[in-house]
Amino acid sequence: MTPAIITNNLTKRFGDFTAVNGINFEAKRGEIFGFLGPNGSGKTTTIRMMLGLLAPSAGDVQALGISVKGNQAELQQRVGYMSQRFSLYNDLTVQQNLQFYGAAYGLNNTDLKSRIQDALVMAGLEGRENAKTKDLSGGWRQRLALSAAILHRPELIFLDEPTAGVDPISRRAFWDLLYQLVADGVSVFVTTHYMDEAEHCHRLAFIQRGNIIARGTPAEIKKNMMQGQVLEIASSDAVNTIKILRAAESLDLQEVELYGSLVHVVAQNVEKKKKDIQKLLKKEKIQIEDMAVIEASLEDVFIASMK
Amino acid sequence: MSFRHILAITRKEFNHILRDRSTMILVVFTPLVMLLLMAYALTVELQHIPIAILDYDRSATSRDFVQQIVSGNDLDLYAQVGSIAEIEDLLMHGDVKAALVIDPNFSRDLLAMRGMPMQVIIDGTEPESGGFAVEHIASRAEEFANKALSTQIQMMGFSADALNPLDLRIRTWYNPGLKPRNDLIPGLISMVLGMPALSVALALAHEREHGTMEQLMATPIGRGELLIGKMIPYIVAGLVNVVILPLLAISWFNVPFNGSFPLFFALSALFMFAVLSMGIIIGVFMKSQAAAMGVSFLMIFFPGFFLTGIFFPIVSMPEIMRLESLGMPGTHYATITRGIFLPGVGMEILWPYAVMLVLLGFSFTGIASLFFKKKLG
Ligand SMILES: Nc1ncnc2c1ncn2[C@@H]1O[C@H](COP(=O)(O)OP(=O)(O)OP(=O)(O)O)[C@@H](O)[C@H]1O
Ligand SMILES: [Mg+2]
């Protein structure tokens, strides 16, 4: 089967400014492809080009095996989109929103009825059909937006920061839905800046200022991008631990970052530096409760690569 | 063109309008409220104007004359007074808008065919009522004089027909900003019926402003389908007003409706199509609701004041303005409305205006769908 998405030197310039700079990647069918990047890095611009809403300045993109350019109408019927800005009508009810998007994709009344029922079940909104969408909390709304975007059973769905500003439990519930979709054979392209979500993707691309700086499975990215290991330290005083370790130039540490209440240190041969670190902290009267070399998380990689 | 797509948009748009009572009232009843406001602010209805009368003559003739002046609905006798000072007092307090002073020589001069010496004093702060009082008194005086004189002449043995009656008509100062209701209201109706065009422009700008336009563009709904689907609910809201507003004009303001209502309805539907297409163009070009609002007022209502000939005749306009005025649906519709209301003319006279509305409607929709791309940025 052809890949879900192939981009070929895809580029978008706004005047002198290059928002997306010749990016290349491939998203496989039936997988979650994560597109990671900080604010303004070009994620939305890329999605718009993949949907045919923006014409590329150079390069091209294929979705579901056909070129986006010139086939916009066919593709629009076969893909789904949940835009970054709230994609539902706030002033309409749950039912009215679902009805509209179903009809927009040409569903007939019988199909529409059963699909709306499915969507309500999926979003967990049975019995709340007549609630105004603006009265739903963020998590419900995002799940509703997702179920609206797949009413027409797209083969590929684009989600632009679908969980931004949503509480962790709702985010988990949203990702459970994505896994269900993938289990049903849908290909998912999702942008995010949450690192924990990136870990859940089958494949990733990091974009920064319009350039892809890393791509692959989460494991590949960690292996390729991380120049060192991560040492996790639980101490009596995390803030001072960071201060002291950052000042200790002789140790040659690449990164010293706060990670929850813990401290993550990134360095080459970190195992050998453990003793020196212990000594140094002891001298400053900081108690080390636990210290272990751990597997790097994507967040460690991401922060390291941003420097 | 897919009927289902158009229906999807139309239904959604109806849901927006009907989502709560205040939005619905806004879309459906704003033209009505605007008509009421402007009708009261811009027109005068002159009836039962209180006047004072000072009769120095105190003859049977002058008493008859006074009787005749206040016999209709137009002027009410507030008080018969004895001095100019009293008149001044009544005028100052606003109790009367005008006062008639009958000269001591009134009946003597009238019977001698020397004239009708009298004086009308008016309240300068309300020139329209005062002016109306003067006109009314003058026309009553003319009738009175003619009747009195023909009796006189017949008594002298002449034939009344042989004589030109006295012409006592007086030219009165008249405020051109104010017009009698019958003339103005049909024009106002044509103007406020442009309201739905503002609503449709705002509805489009709203989608853009809230990011839902992007979502719409990603659906298979075509741009033509989107624009037509958006227009339909506002055409319906407009047509509701096409029925309500003439009823209001007829029953509330007593404006005569002499033409054919089915014709008025049909031509109004053409106007809705033309003016809503103009609203669509505004909605397509403007990125925010605030901008759409401003431009709509400029393009839909402002020309209404100047270009539709409601307040200023089109012939007295400079050439360029006149050309622009031809491009405004409101110009043609104002002519149609006034024609059907008052003289009650039909298609034999109105067809060129109807043709213009159709042409404008199609060119505006054409321009709108040409510039409205299913693309962003
Ligand atoms: N129509 C446009 N005209 C000019 N510049 C634009 C336009 N659209 C986007 N940009 C710029 O291109 C860059 C990338 O924007 P984009 O919206 O793709 O970023 P993003 O990764 O989606 O960011 P965010 O996380 O904030 O959504 C930004 O600097 C933005 O200002
Ligand atoms: Mg974005």
Side-chain angles (χ1 to χ4, degrees):
Chain A
M1 219 178 200
T2 49
I5 305 165
I6 309 172
T7 71
N8 172 25
N9 188 33
L10 191 62
T11 303
K12 184 68 193 179
R13 283 183 285 270
F14 297 110
D16 295 341
F17 175 71
T18 304
V20 175
N21 190 12
I23 61 175
N24 296 290
F25 64 79
E26 229 182 85
K28 289 194 168 37
R29 297 239 193 177
E31 285 193 355
I32 301 181
F33 188 94
F35 201 47
L36 254 79
N39 288 341
S41 52
K43 303 185 294 293
T44 302
T45 305
T46 304
I47 286 198
R48 286 175 175 161
M49 288 192 285
M50 296 193 294
L51 285 161
L53 297 177
L54 269 183
S57 312
D60 57 65
V61 53
Q62 278 184 30
L64 301 172
I66 51 182
S67 168
V68 170
K69 192 179 165 195
N71 296 306
Q72 206 182 338
E74 184 196 336
L75 277 173
Q76 276 170 340
Q77 196 65 49
R78 291 176 62 191
V79 307
Y81 178 36
M82 186 175 152
S83 62
Q84 177 169 13
R85 295 180 61 197
F86 191 49
S87 57
L88 300 170
Y89 294 94
N90 261 320
D91 56 327
L92 301 186
T93 64
V94 171
Q95 173 86 17
Q96 287 168 342
N97 266 299
L98 290 171
Q99 214 152 35
F100 170 65
Y101 280 112
Y105 284 94
L107 295 182
N108 65 35
N109 286 342
T110 21
D111 277 353
L112 189 57
K113 218 165 177 185
S114 70
R115 299 264 177 102
I116 287 180
Q117 198 47 44
D118 294 349
L120 289 170
V121 173
M122 175 174 154
L125 284 166
E126 303 126 289
R128 300 192 64 191
E129 295 86 341
N130 295 319
K132 283 266 159 74
T133 308
K134 65 164 165 270
D135 297 334
L136 302 176
S137 72
W140 297 106
R141 277 199 297 215
Q142 303 300 61
R143 286 195 290 278
L144 176 61
L146 178 64
S147 14
I150 60 158
L151 274 176
H152 61 295
R153 301 292 181 261
E155 298 157 57
L156 164 64
I157 176 156
F158 295 94
L159 309 168
D160 197 358
E161 302 203 25
T163 54
V166 171
D167 67 87
I169 293 172
S170 299
R171 276 170 51 201
R172 168 55 67 71
F174 190 91
W175 274 82
D176 287 344
L177 291 181
L178 290 190
Y179 275 110
Q180 267 178 40
L181 286 179
V182 168
D184 292 341
V186 178
S187 313
V188 176
F189 182 95
V190 57
T191 73
T192 180
H193 54 240
Y194 291 117
M195 296 306 152
D196 56 332
E197 291 187 350
E199 303 265 6
H200 293 127
C201 298
H202 296 109
R203 212 165 292 276
L204 293 170
F206 270 142
I207 184 169
Q208 194 189 3
R209 288 195 217 100
N211 294 290
I212 289 192
I213 53 169
R215 98 195 76 193
T217 64
E220 284 167 0
I221 288 182
K222 286 177 203 169
K223 207 171 107 217
N224 299 342
M225 291 198 50
M226 205 60 185
Q227 323 271 316
Q229 299 89 40
V230 181
L231 181 68
E232 187 172 77
I233 307 171
S235 68
S236 57
D237 184 349
V239 175
N240 275 317
T241 303
I242 290 176
K243 249 190 219 159
I244 292 158
L245 293 181
R246 279 188 182 161
E249 277 174 29
S250 60
L251 285 175
D252 191 23
L253 307 176
Q254 291 164 5
E255 299 290 336
V256 183
E257 297 291 342
L258 191 62
Y259 203 92
S261 62
L262 308 171
V263 175
H264 277 193
V265 173
V266 179
Q268 308 279 0
N269 301 322
V270 82
E271 195 67 46
K272 288 180 186 146
K273 290 175 181 163
K274 254 167 130 179
K275 275 224 167 63
D276 294 336
I277 291 173
Q278 232 158 2
K279 236 188 264 167
L280 188 64
L281 291 179
K282 203 166 184 182
K283 208 169 78 192
E284 302 284 342
K285 303 215 162 50
I286 289 175
Q287 216 101 52
I288 296 178
E289 282 146 19
D290 193 15
M291 184 155 79
V293 178
I294 57 158
E295 194 197 331
S297 72
L298 275 172
E299 185 157 357
D300 295 316
V301 179
F302 201 52
I303 288 171
S305 69
M306 287 294 130
K307 299 272 155 158
Chain B
M1 279 288 157
S2 145
F3 182 65
R4 191 163 287 164
H5 288 164
I6 295 178
L7 197 67
I9 294 282
T10 299
R11 187 164 178 188
K12 171 183 89 72
E13 212 57 34
F14 266 120
N15 286 336
H16 285 305
I17 298 172
L18 300 176
R19 74 197 143 176
D20 53 40
R21 200 162 293 166
S22 62
T23 318
M24 198 188 82
I25 289 177
L26 203 73
V27 171
V28 179
F29 293 106
T30 309
L32 190 118
V33 173
M34 273 175 73
L35 176 67
L36 283 174
L37 282 178
M38 294 207 286
Y40 279 111
L42 301 173
T43 67
V44 277
E45 193 196 31
L46 299 167
Q47 272 195 345
H48 298 291
I49 295 167
I51 62 164
I53 291 179
L54 172 52
D55 183 1
Y56 282 127
D57 190 28
R58 287 171 213 276
S59 63
T61 315
S62 70
R63 271 195 297 276
D64 277 355
F65 181 55
V66 167
Q67 206 49 52
Q68 170 133 19
I69 295 274
V70 299
S71 60
N73 283 334
D74 314 282
L75 302 182
D76 287 354
L77 180 58
Y78 182 81
Q80 212 150 12
V81 296
S83 69
I84 293 286
E86 280 176 74
I87 287 177
E88 229 165 72
D89 199 48
L90 288 174
L91 279 170
M92 290 291 271
H93 285 91
D95 294 329
V96 300
K97 304 295 171 210
L100 169 65
V101 183
I102 298 173
D103 194 88
N105 298 326
F106 179 79
S107 52
R108 202 195 67 203
D109 284 3
L110 178 64
L111 296 178
M113 290 193 275
R114 274 204 298 271
M116 301 169 82
M118 63 178 143
Q119 181 185 15
V120 181
I121 303 169
I122 66 168
D123 179 355
T125 62
E126 286 196 39
E128 61 282 358
S129 316
F132 178 77
V134 171
E135 273 185 356
H136 181 81
I137 290 171
S139 74
R140 285 296 160 91
E142 189 182 345
E143 284 167 31
F144 188 79
N146 288 339
K147 217 169 80 196
L149 289 175
S150 55
T151 325
Q152 179 84 353
I153 286 161
Q154 275 161 3
M155 276 163 37
M156 289 158 72
F158 297 106
S159 154
D161 309 335
L163 199 84
N164 275 337
L166 279 185
D167 186 6
L168 293 182
R169 214 169 295 144
I170 302 171
R171 285 222 164 266
T172 51
W173 184 88
Y174 179 61
N175 183 350
L178 291 161
K179 286 191 176 178
R181 294 228 159 109
N182 289 0
D183 288 359
L184 193 66
I185 283 183
L188 285 180
I189 287 181
S190 73
M191 204 169 117
V192 298
L193 279 175
M195 220 32 224
L198 171 71
S199 304
V200 83
L202 288 182
L204 268 176
H206 184 274
E207 299 255 12
R208 218 177 276 276
E209 205 168 79
H210 286 71
T212 43
M213 186 63 90
E214 175 165 353
Q215 194 70 43
L216 273 185
M217 286 174 168
T219 70
I221 294 180
R223 53 205 171 124
E225 295 162 347
L226 174 57
L227 297 183
I228 291 173
K230 278 255 170 205
M231 251 159 96
I232 291 174
Y234 298 98
I235 290 190
V236 171
L239 290 180
V240 168
N241 278 296
V242 166
V243 176
I244 295 180
L245 297 191
L247 285 179
L248 181 82
I250 295 163
S251 62
W252 188 259
F253 292 116
N254 298 320
V255 178
F257 189 95
N258 297 323
S260 138
F261 187 77
L263 177 67
F264 177 66
F265 191 84
L267 295 183
S268 298
L270 290 186
F271 168 69
M272 283 300 148
F273 169 57
V275 79
L276 278 166
S277 310
M278 198 157 107
I280 291 271
I281 291 192
I282 297 171
V284 164
F285 281 102
M286 294 301 119
K287 295 264 177 326
S288 74
Q289 289 191 84
M293 180 86 119
V295 174
S296 295
F297 270 103
L298 262 153
M299 284 183 59
I300 299 171
F301 299 112
F302 202 58
F305 283 103
F306 297 102
L307 298 177
T308 58
I310 295 178
F311 298 112
F312 307 104
I314 297 180
V315 281
S316 72
M317 259 187 265
E319 194 69 25
I320 294 178
M321 293 262 281
R322 230 185 296 170
L323 282 179
E324 274 173 19
S325 155
L326 290 177
M328 304 286 174
T331 314
H332 310 288
Y333 187 55
T335 312
I336 288 172
T337 313
R338 286 192 296 186
I340 295 183
F341 258 83
L342 297 173
V345 296
M347 251 342 226
E348 68 285 353
I349 291 185
L350 297 177
W351 69 266
Y353 305 99
V355 169
M356 275 308 287
L357 287 181
V358 174
L359 287 180
L360 288 177
F362 279 112
S363 4
F364 289 152
T365 0
I367 294 172
S369 50
L370 209 64
F371 283 90
F372 180 61
K373 294 270 156 56
K374 266 192 84 174
K375 289 249 190 285
L376 296 159

